[in-house]
Amino acid sequence: MKRSNAQKLKDALEEEIINGRLLPGEKLDTETLARQYNVSRTPIREAIQQLAVSGLVVVKPKRGTFVARVSIDQLIEMFEVMAELEGMCGRLAARRIRPHELESLRAAMRRCEDPDVMADPDEYYYENEEFHGWIYTASHNQFLAPEARQLKQRLKPYRRL
């Protein structure tokens, strides 16, 4: 799976935030990021927008972009809810999955089990995300699936690492 410059930059910044190289409250300077990652402003804006959606950064108009402050307690609570949402999706999918969805789910699982994919943590993460996406879809619950996707997006950087 080929990733855009914005996706690669977002992944790199996620890792720096999660591993503490970028600290809560620290300002992200777009010019410094452009030089450091050898990209233009467009991928930086896209990466920052994605990071804001996931809650890792906060964009303050006319002040800049800052690394968000997320406590361990907040993360634990979000993961507890995510586990329940995914469990609900799985239970519903087990009863409601359609044949073409089951084949897509199986194909996604096979890709996750591919040794080349398993050897690359980023590649595995994206394939695993596709696998979970099929479970959400197969739940056929038009309220639950988007809620699970939204929280999964919020937890994405933590799950990825």
Side-chain angles (χ1 to χ4, degrees):
M1 185 180 296
K2 186 152 175 133
R3 289 176 281 146
S4 68
N5 283 340
Q7 185 66 46
K8 289 176 188 174
L9 177 60
K10 182 189 78 71
D11 291 347
L13 291 173
E14 279 178 355
E15 189 170 326
E16 288 191 36
I17 292 168
I18 300 302
N19 289 320
R21 290 187 294 274
L22 289 173
L23 300 173
E26 187 172 338
K27 185 175 183 176
L28 299 180
D29 180 64
T30 55
E31 291 181 25
T32 302
L33 292 173
R35 283 191 307 274
Q36 183 178 349
Y37 291 98
N38 196 29
V39 294
S40 68
R41 289 183 180 157
T42 299
I44 292 170
R45 282 192 298 268
E46 290 174 20
I48 286 173
Q49 183 178 18
Q50 291 174 29
L51 291 169
V53 168
S54 73
L56 277 181
V57 301
V58 176
V59 179
K60 296 180 180 180
K62 298 183 182 179
R63 292 188 53 217
T65 302
F66 300 85
V67 176
R69 298 178 194 274
V70 178
S71 73
I72 295 298
D73 290 339
Q74 288 174 306
L75 279 176
I76 290 170
E77 290 172 354
M78 288 189 285
F79 274 110
E80 288 171 342
V81 172
M82 189 75 242
E84 292 301 318
L85 292 177
E86 287 190 335
M88 289 173 66
C89 285
R91 284 188 298 278
L92 291 172
R95 292 189 300 234
R96 298 175 176 174
I97 197 165
R98 296 178 181 149
H100 73 278
E101 294 166 339
L102 182 57
E103 183 49 43
S104 295
L105 181 65
R106 286 180 174 152
M109 185 175 71
R110 285 191 297 274
R111 287 191 303 275
C112 286
E113 294 171 338
D114 181 290
D116 291 335
V117 171
M118 291 176 72
D120 180 346
D122 286 333
E123 189 68 21
Y124 177 81
Y125 174 83
Y126 290 110
E127 292 299 344
N128 184 264
E129 190 174 57
E130 179 76 13
F131 172 79
H132 281 86
W134 279 108
I135 294 172
Y136 301 161
T137 298
S139 75
H140 294 282
N141 184 307
Q142 299 306 309
F143 179 79
L144 177 61
E147 292 297 316
R149 283 186 177 95
Q150 182 178 5
L151 185 54
K152 185 175 178 76
Q153 181 68 25
R154 175 79 166 88
L155 289 170
K156 189 174 188 175
Y158 303 100
R159 292 178 71 124
R160 191 173 136 261
L161 292 171

